[in-house]
Amino acid sequence: MARIADIGQHEGQTVTISGWIDNSTRRGKLLFIQLRDGSGRMQCVMRKQNVDEETFEAFKRAGQESSVRITGEIKADTRSKLGFEMQVSEGEVLQSAEGYPITPKEHGPNFLHDKRHLWLRSRRQFAIMKIRHLCVRAIRNFFDDRDFTLIDSPVFTPNACEGTTTLFETEYFGRPAYLTQSGQLYQEAGAMAFGKTYCFGPTFRAEKSSTRRHLTEFWMVEPEVAFADLDDIMELSEDFLVEVVAYVLEHGREYLEILERDLGPLENVQKPFPRMSYDEACAKLAELGTPVDPEDDFGSPHETVLTKEFDRPIMVHRFPTAIKAFYMKEDPTNPLRALGVDVLAPEGYGEIIGGGAREDRIDVLERKIDEHQLPQEAFDWFKDLRNYGSVPHGGFGLGLERLVCWVCGIKHIRETIPFPRMIDRLTP
Amino acid sequence: MARIADIGQHEGQTVTISGWIDNSTRRGKLLFIQLRDGSGRMQCVMRKQNVDEETFEAFKRAGQESSVRITGEIKADTRSKLGFEMQVSEGEVLQSAEGYPITPKEHGPNFLHDKRHLWLRSRRQFAIMKIRHLCVRAIRNFFDDRDFTLIDSPVFTPNACEGTTTLFETEYFGRPAYLTQSGQLYQEAGAMAFGKTYCFGPTFRAEKSSTRRHLTEFWMVEPEVAFADLDDIMELSEDFLVEVVAYVLEHGREYLEILERDLGPLENVQKPFPRMSYDEACAKLAELGTPVDPEDDFGSPHETVLTKEFDRPIMVHRFPTAIKAFYMKEDPTNPLRALGVDVLAPEGYGEIIGGGAREDRIDVLERKIDEHQLPQEAFDWFKDLRNYGSVPHGGFGLGLERLVCWVCGIKHIRETIPFPRMIDRLTP
């Protein structure tokens, strides 16, 4: 059985392809069948005189998404994008479909998400999923090729330390368990054993807001490196994004074209990324007429204003300690600032990476746990990492779907995951 | 900074390595430090006359797992396994550890799992995690190289169709949601869009038994192929296991040696695997003195007896329809048998793969849903896949931890995942 993706190898040969009818039009004694087989799309031309009556009639009647098997000769065809078409000599309709719900007319997003199991067949959703796959492959290659060890963090976690408002809870044999929001703390244990580790799996957040940037279930990759400082983590983030975007540009151009993605901003993803401290970013924002309270975090609108000033991702580092997690290392030269970094994607996409150096001093860590009003005993194992061979270390987290959204240049994060889960969406 | 894994490139050079003291012994004015840095282990010899007094004293006092930075010349050393050792000229103890809880003496499994965050540093656990990583890489390469598209199945699912006894439930914005036990149904939707897909993520089962084969959270890879029949799925399973095991043998020999794994059974993993129908397997089991009721499933003890007869994995196909899931395709030549296959690992490890052909006839599928007393409406989307372009298709599922357990040749599945979750284990 031949595949459309490899059809160029079969020019002049007679081959059989199994697939689905994407579309078909009749002009008299000719049927122009747009066939898709999961690897690509091609035109198959069926002439009434070349097939038996019954076959022609069956194909004439077969609706969109009918499954078929078609045999014919592959001919060069300069008019088609693929460069080839098939002159059909035999065909069989395996299952004749009627009333396929997704038609070329416009459908609302809710309807399309209700039919997500079918919508994935559309050219645009197909292209997005292919880009997602390429991103995943590039991410894993990046870490595997640099000798990071994959240490899957667990999904079930025992504590709801930072409040339960965005946590999903489950009953775990008579006690509560919570679904992970980040694998980082476990990666810190990993980095002390393996030097460099990463995890890459689903994480969960009970997001009560239904925006175009939020999912309740999304994939995160989280590398962690022993003996790394903030500068190392910034360099790692930079190398990482450069390599991942280059991989997609190399292997996914056809899909980016389907999405009509402007390639310029992706081709600009080259080192060095502009770096600025949070304080510098605030000064810049004030200059641009959108001031931030310097002890407060800046939000999505500020990110948009800031990133529009640059042609590539930017790195904002040294945030106010007060707004950051307890485990982030205080800047020894200014404890009011923490050694963290956010990488903001251009074109208004905003934060895609958050990371930094971790607090490796046991006394400071214990103080921070108290200051954040967290229970010390829940972190006994985490503190062990500082009691037994503490070293400077750091890492980052990247949300896969935000990356894919930006790389694809699309608006809605819900289209970047095969079966999105949101506050109002748990099906199909 | 040099890494122990690459130390051979630095013979004769003076380099600095950062890491942890795995062990150290003093003989008079010599300290023999076993250093680990996450990439490997090597001996560093510190002579009192070559470093300052303070440094020698600090290293003398530093306990197991103290973090250190050591500089010295790399010399060939034929007595060590690595082939090299370091003659230390400078050193710094970054954090002097005392009372590391895991000592060379024997500890019980419960204690070790309580200290899992530290236990991962041990040579044996290190080796198992490295094998796990190699298995994951080989699995993804296998599917990526064959043009399967990664389609992550969701973790949150809306229905508890097959009973809630082994399902974890969570409250999802006022309604119940369940954690996935298999991504297969979603892969079927994927295969109709992409031809060949796979998912690879954590799955969940509220296993009330605490055996050496069960985890509540484990990783599964599930490929699905359009236009595939049972024979295709058997061949895919075979190719898959051959390639994954060969990859581990090629890249993981040093870790298999640490585990004292007998390589013979792994080197035997070559095509063809013996194939037998369930009825043939039952006849064989009767011959071997362990009869099975032919309308019942066979259990772990039967699998062990059967697999011990062969030197490689075996494939048992065509199980009684009555004991198999509703979506498994009935054998058109005998509806009492279903077109499924289990792949059983040798050496008593038992089932690692389960798969087969899926029911692609809408009328039979609807009847099966009724026979299994499942609610038709919960499967409306799944039935759409049969209404709109149904095609023969199939796939399989492989539990990562069972594979790793067998490849490592170890007894307990809980050692094959970084942070195991079991009925009595939710920490650290």
Side-chain angles (χ1 to χ4, degrees):
Chain A
M1 206 162 66
R3 296 168 71 245
I4 294 173
D6 311 322
I7 211 65
Q9 302 165 14
H10 298 288
E11 192 185 340
Q13 297 170 11
T14 295
V15 298
T16 299
I17 302 178
S18 298
W20 296 265
I21 296 177
D22 190 27
N23 185 19
S24 86
T25 35
R26 186 162 63 101
R27 292 205 205 121
K29 295 178 175 181
L30 279 175
L31 263 181
F32 296 94
I33 302 161
Q34 307 303 324
L35 184 70
R36 64 166 195 89
D37 73 344
S39 82
R41 282 167 159 84
M42 80 179 290
Q43 176 159 279
C44 302
V45 184
M46 186 181 281
R47 281 164 208 280
K48 199 169 177 177
Q49 76 252 38
N50 292 348
V51 294
D52 58 45
E53 181 75 25
E54 204 185 328
T55 300
F56 193 81
E57 287 304 311
F59 274 84
K60 218 173 78 182
R61 276 193 314 270
Q64 191 186 349
E65 287 302 324
S66 294
S67 49
V68 297
R69 193 176 292 124
I70 307 185
T71 301
E73 192 183 338
I74 304 303
K75 302 233 174 188
D77 173 41
T78 50
R79 289 160 306 175
S80 88
K81 233 188 143 179
L82 187 69
F84 300 93
E85 64 172 29
M86 181 194 271
Q87 296 292 335
V88 180
S89 51
E90 266 178 79
E92 187 190 349
V93 175
L94 302 174
Q95 192 246 336
S96 193
E98 266 177 71
Y100 185 69
I102 303 175
T103 58
K105 74 163 188 178
E106 285 278 313
H107 296 284
N110 229 350
F111 177 83
L112 290 170
H113 278 286
D114 283 343
K115 305 289 178 202
R116 184 63 172 169
H117 52 293
L118 303 174
W119 189 29
L120 287 171
R121 302 178 185 186
S122 79
R123 190 183 287 261
R124 179 183 157 86
Q125 299 305 314
F126 182 88
I128 297 170
M129 289 303 118
K130 287 287 193 181
I131 298 287
R132 178 183 169 98
H133 185 185
L134 288 172
C135 287
V136 171
R137 191 152 205 207
I139 289 169
R140 291 193 179 261
N141 285 349
F142 179 87
F143 293 114
D144 291 348
D145 293 347
R146 278 162 184 77
D147 207 23
F148 282 68
T149 302
L150 174 69
I151 294 294
D152 296 303
S153 287
V155 170
F156 287 131
T157 57
N159 299 112
C161 298
E162 302 185 61
T164 55
T165 48
T166 62
L167 275 177
F168 286 107
E169 180 178 334
T170 186
E171 200 238 270
Y172 193 88
F173 307 108
R175 54 183 287 194
Y178 305 92
L179 305 189
T180 183
Q181 297 200 325
S182 157
Q184 179 202 313
L185 304 197
Y186 293 97
Q187 292 310 301
E188 292 190 43
M192 302 304 138
F194 297 86
K196 299 186 277 188
T197 62
Y198 72 102
C199 63
F200 194 0
T203 50
F204 305 88
R205 202 169 284 253
E207 287 288 355
K208 276 159 197 94
S209 51
S210 180
T211 81
R212 62 184 183 83
R213 277 176 70 83
H214 290 109
L215 295 167
T216 56
E217 177 183 333
F218 55 97
W219 284 64
M220 270 234 284
V221 60
E222 295 174 276
E224 190 75 24
V225 184
F227 301 103
D229 62 19
L230 177 61
D231 284 340
D232 295 326
I233 298 308
M234 289 205 272
E235 202 174 319
L236 185 72
S237 309
E238 204 174 46
D239 287 339
F240 170 79
L241 282 180
V242 168
E243 185 169 308
V244 169
V245 170
Y247 186 91
V248 175
L249 279 170
E250 187 185 341
H251 299 279
R253 205 162 282 251
E254 61 181 303
Y255 311 118
L256 294 170
E257 275 169 22
I258 291 172
L259 299 169
E260 297 173 357
R261 176 65 166 117
D262 178 3
L263 300 184
L266 298 180
E267 285 162 346
N268 277 344
V269 180
Q270 301 295 342
K271 290 171 80 164
F273 296 171
R275 300 181 184 197
M276 69 193 78
S277 70
Y278 177 83
D279 294 327
E280 288 162 350
C282 289
K284 179 108 197 153
L285 281 165
E287 249 178 69
L288 295 168
T290 46
V292 196
D293 173 348
E295 293 313 313
D296 199 4
D297 204 352
F298 53 76
S300 220
H302 292 110
E303 287 178 3
T304 302
V305 170
L306 198 59
T307 56
K308 290 214 161 144
E309 294 293 298
F310 301 93
D311 68 348
R312 63 195 67 197
I314 60 172
M315 302 205 271
V316 181
H317 53 82
R318 292 181 170 77
F319 285 83
T321 305
I323 60 171
K324 286 293 176 181
F326 76 93
Y327 49 71
M328 199 174 272
K329 187 167 180 161
E330 287 180 10
D331 188 340
T333 69
N334 176 7
L336 293 177
R337 291 293 175 265
L339 297 174
V341 59
D342 280 359
V343 184
L344 310 180
E347 301 169 90
Y349 281 92
E351 190 203 328
I352 50 172
I353 283 181
R358 321 303 186 188
E359 188 52 74
D360 54 327
R361 295 161 296 184
I362 184 71
D363 52 332
V364 181
L365 185 65
E366 287 183 333
R367 165 169 63 75
K368 296 290 285 290
I369 291 171
D370 283 341
E371 283 172 10
H372 284 250
Q373 299 181 293
L374 299 170
Q376 290 285 346
E377 64 282 7
F379 297 99
D380 279 346
W381 71 269
F382 188 63
K383 290 192 283 181
D384 274 357
L385 307 176
R386 279 70 180 168
N387 285 320
Y388 303 115
S390 191
V391 304
H393 64 288
F396 69 76
L398 167 121
L400 174 64
E401 287 75 14
R402 288 190 175 181
L403 174 74
V404 175
C405 203
W406 164 52
V407 170
C408 289
I410 61 177
K411 238 187 185 161
H412 289 285
I413 204 162
R414 63 191 178 212
E415 292 186 25
T416 63
I417 188 165
F419 296 93
R421 298 296 184 242
M422 292 164 288
I423 184 167
D424 50 2
R425 167 71 51 198
L426 181 59
T427 55
Chain B
M1 207 163 64
R3 296 169 70 247
I4 294 174
D6 312 321
I7 210 66
Q9 302 164 13
H10 298 289
E11 193 185 341
Q13 298 170 11
T14 294
V15 298
T16 299
I17 302 177
S18 298
W20 296 265
I21 296 177
D22 190 26
N23 187 16
S24 85
T25 35
R26 185 164 64 102
R27 291 205 207 122
K29 296 178 175 183
L30 280 176
L31 262 182
F32 296 94
I33 301 161
Q34 307 303 323
L35 183 71
R36 64 168 196 86
D37 74 344
S39 82
R41 283 169 159 82
M42 81 178 292
Q43 176 161 281
C44 302
V45 184
M46 185 181 282
R47 281 165 210 278
K48 197 168 178 178
Q49 75 252 37
N50 292 349
V51 295
D52 58 48
E53 181 77 24
E54 204 184 328
T55 301
F56 193 80
E57 287 305 310
F59 274 83
K60 218 173 79 181
R61 276 193 313 270
Q64 192 186 347
E65 288 302 325
S66 294
S67 49
V68 296
R69 191 176 293 123
I70 308 186
T71 301
E73 192 183 340
I74 304 303
K75 303 233 172 183
D77 172 41
T78 49
R79 289 159 308 176
S80 88
K81 237 190 137 178
L82 187 71
F84 298 94
E85 64 171 31
M86 180 194 272
Q87 296 292 335
V88 180
S89 51
E90 266 180 77
E92 186 190 351
V93 175
L94 302 174
Q95 192 244 336
S96 192
E98 264 177 72
Y100 186 68
I102 303 175
T103 57
K105 74 165 188 177
E106 285 277 312
H107 296 284
N110 230 348
F111 176 83
L112 290 170
H113 278 287
D114 283 343
K115 305 289 177 201
R116 185 63 173 170
H117 53 292
L118 302 174
W119 189 29
L120 287 171
R121 303 178 185 186
S122 79
R123 191 183 287 259
R124 179 182 157 87
Q125 298 305 315
F126 182 89
I128 296 170
M129 289 303 115
K130 286 287 192 180
I131 298 287
R132 178 183 168 99
H133 185 185
L134 289 171
C135 286
V136 170
R137 189 151 207 208
I139 288 168
R140 293 196 177 259
N141 285 349
F142 179 87
F143 293 113
D144 290 347
D145 292 346
R146 279 164 184 76
D147 207 22
F148 282 68
T149 302
L150 174 68
I151 295 294
D152 296 303
S153 287
V155 170
F156 287 130
T157 57
N159 299 114
C161 298
E162 301 185 61
T164 54
T165 49
T166 61
L167 274 177
F168 286 106
E169 182 178 332
T170 186
E171 201 238 89
Y172 192 88
F173 306 108
R175 53 182 290 195
Y178 305 91
L179 304 189
T180 184
Q181 297 202 323
S182 157
Q184 179 202 312
L185 304 197
Y186 293 97
Q187 292 310 300
E188 293 188 44
M192 302 303 137
F194 297 86
K196 300 186 278 187
T197 61
Y198 72 101
C199 63
F200 194 0
T203 51
F204 305 88
R205 201 168 285 253
E207 287 288 355
K208 278 163 195 88
S209 51
S210 178
T211 81
R212 64 185 182 82
R213 278 176 67 84
H214 290 108
L215 295 167
T216 56
E217 177 183 333
F218 55 98
W219 284 64
M220 272 234 284
V221 58
E222 293 174 278
E224 190 75 24
V225 184
F227 300 103
D229 62 18
L230 177 60
D231 285 339
D232 295 326
I233 297 307
M234 289 205 271
E235 203 174 317
L236 185 71
S237 310
E238 206 172 45
D239 287 339
F240 170 77
L241 282 179
V242 168
E243 186 169 307
V244 169
V245 170
Y247 186 90
V248 175
L249 279 170
E250 188 185 339
H251 299 279
R253 207 162 282 250
E254 60 182 302
Y255 310 119
L256 295 170
E257 275 169 21
I258 291 172
L259 300 169
E260 297 174 357
R261 176 63 165 117
D262 177 5
L263 300 183
L266 297 180
E267 284 161 348
N268 277 342
V269 180
Q270 301 294 343
K271 290 171 79 165
F273 297 170
R275 298 180 185 199
M276 71 193 77
S277 70
Y278 177 82
D279 294 329
E280 288 163 349
C282 289
K284 179 106 194 158
L285 281 165
E287 250 178 67
L288 295 168
T290 46
V292 197
D293 174 348
E295 292 314 311
D296 199 4
D297 204 353
F298 53 75
S300 219
H302 292 110
E303 287 179 3
T304 302
V305 170
L306 198 60
T307 55
K308 290 217 161 141
E309 294 293 300
F310 301 92
D311 69 347
R312 65 194 67 195
I314 61 173
M315 300 205 273
V316 182
H317 53 83
R318 291 179 171 76
F319 285 82
T321 306
I323 59 171
K324 287 292 177 180
F326 75 94
Y327 50 70
M328 199 174 272
K329 187 168 182 162
E330 286 181 11
D331 188 341
T333 69
N334 176 7
L336 293 176
R337 292 293 175 264
L339 297 174
V341 59
D342 280 359
V343 183
L344 310 180
E347 303 170 88
Y349 281 91
E351 189 204 329
I352 49 174
I353 283 181
R358 321 302 186 188
E359 189 52 75
D360 53 326
R361 295 161 296 184
I362 183 70
D363 52 332
V364 181
L365 185 66
E366 287 182 334
R367 166 171 62 75
K368 297 289 286 290
I369 290 172
D370 283 340
E371 284 172 11
H372 284 250
Q373 300 180 293
L374 299 170
Q376 291 285 345
E377 65 281 7
F379 297 98
D380 279 347
W381 72 269
F382 187 62
K383 291 191 284 182
D384 273 357
L385 306 176
R386 279 72 180 167
N387 286 320
Y388 304 114
S390 191
V391 305
H393 64 288
F396 68 77
L398 166 121
L400 174 64
E401 287 75 15
R402 287 188 177 184
L403 173 74
V404 175
C405 203
W406 164 52
V407 170
C408 289
I410 62 177
K411 239 185 184 161
H412 290 284
I413 204 162
R414 63 189 177 213
E415 293 185 24
T416 63
I417 189 165
F419 295 93
R421 297 295 184 242
M422 293 165 288
I423 184 168
D424 50 3
R425 166 73 51 200
L426 181 59
T427 56

